[in-house]
Amino acid sequence: MLKVCKNLVLLGLALVFLLTGCGLISITFLLDEDIDETFVPTSFYYYGVDVTDEEDWEDHKDDIKQANWVTFELYLTNPGGTDITFDGYVDDATGTACTNATCAMGTTKILSNITIPAGSERYISPGESLNFMENMDILRDLAVTGMFNFYGVSTGGSFVIDSGRVVVAIVAVAS
């Protein structure tokens, strides 16, 4: 009998919270943004990530509290005759975007030391990208805004981004 009364009291409290608008609902959703391919080998790449026009973002933008994680999926090609190292950088999309590698290397490094052997392709899965990531706290803060600039920079030669995407897990809390 005590157990039944306890359950009824808890059910009653839950109903009071819901009816008075005190209930909180946490929603986690994934957003992904395709990164444009490059067609000409380069040692500097820029892409403005913007997920603010996605339906899930639009539906929950006022309730977004945090980004749990951000990953990248990249298909990279090294068309040259020597190994190269690829690094990724980000900055706030509200400022002026970098137009060269020197500027980009002054922003926040988030992908570090991805080696692409000479004359080969390299696939980096979303899970594998976590092995190369740093400054995740800054990247998560930028992801909460829905927009940031992504820069790819190589040392030792040029690269091609055959395709890629950014995947963000966002948490929204609705009351």
Side-chain angles (χ1 to χ4, degrees):
M1 182 68 165
L2 183 61
K3 187 175 182 180
V4 172
C5 288
K6 184 178 174 183
N7 287 339
L8 287 174
V9 168
L10 290 174
L11 178 62
L13 286 173
L15 285 172
V16 168
F17 281 118
L18 288 174
L19 293 174
T20 60
C22 294
L24 295 177
I25 299 172
S26 176
I27 303 162
T28 300
F29 56 95
L30 294 178
L31 298 171
D32 63 58
E33 173 84 8
D34 290 334
I35 295 174
D36 289 340
E37 301 89 1
T38 59
F39 297 106
V40 178
T42 184
S43 59
F44 170 76
Y45 172 82
Y46 159 74
Y47 182 74
V49 175
D50 182 356
V51 296
T52 60
D53 59 353
E54 290 197 24
E55 185 177 338
D56 280 335
W57 181 273
E58 286 288 327
D59 291 347
H60 303 290
K61 66 183 173 188
D62 295 331
D63 303 316
I64 292 173
K65 302 300 179 203
Q66 69 186 43
N68 280 351
W69 48 261
V70 182
T71 63
F72 292 85
E73 179 178 49
L74 297 168
Y75 290 86
L76 303 168
T77 299
N78 174 356
T82 60
D83 293 356
I84 65 167
T85 301
F86 178 88
D87 296 312
Y89 299 84
V90 292
D91 68 7
D92 187 336
T94 60
T96 303
C98 290
T99 58
N100 60 59
T102 302
C103 174
M105 292 184 336
T107 63
T108 302
K109 184 186 270 190
I110 50 120
L111 291 169
S112 184
N113 297 320
I114 299 173
T115 301
I116 309 167
S120 68
E121 298 174 351
R122 174 94 190 255
Y123 170 67
I124 306 295
S125 70
E128 185 183 5
S129 74
L130 294 171
N131 297 325
F132 300 102
M133 303 223 26
E134 55 186 68
N135 296 310
M136 180 65 90
D137 54 336
I138 294 170
L139 181 57
R140 284 192 305 252
D141 289 345
L142 289 171
V144 166
T145 70
M147 299 170 57
F148 58 88
N149 296 320
F150 172 77
Y151 308 103
V153 177
S154 66
T155 53
S158 296
F159 64 91
V160 173
I161 295 180
D162 299 308
S163 69
R165 65 187 185 132
V166 180
V167 182
V168 182
I170 297 286
V171 176
V173 179
S175 52

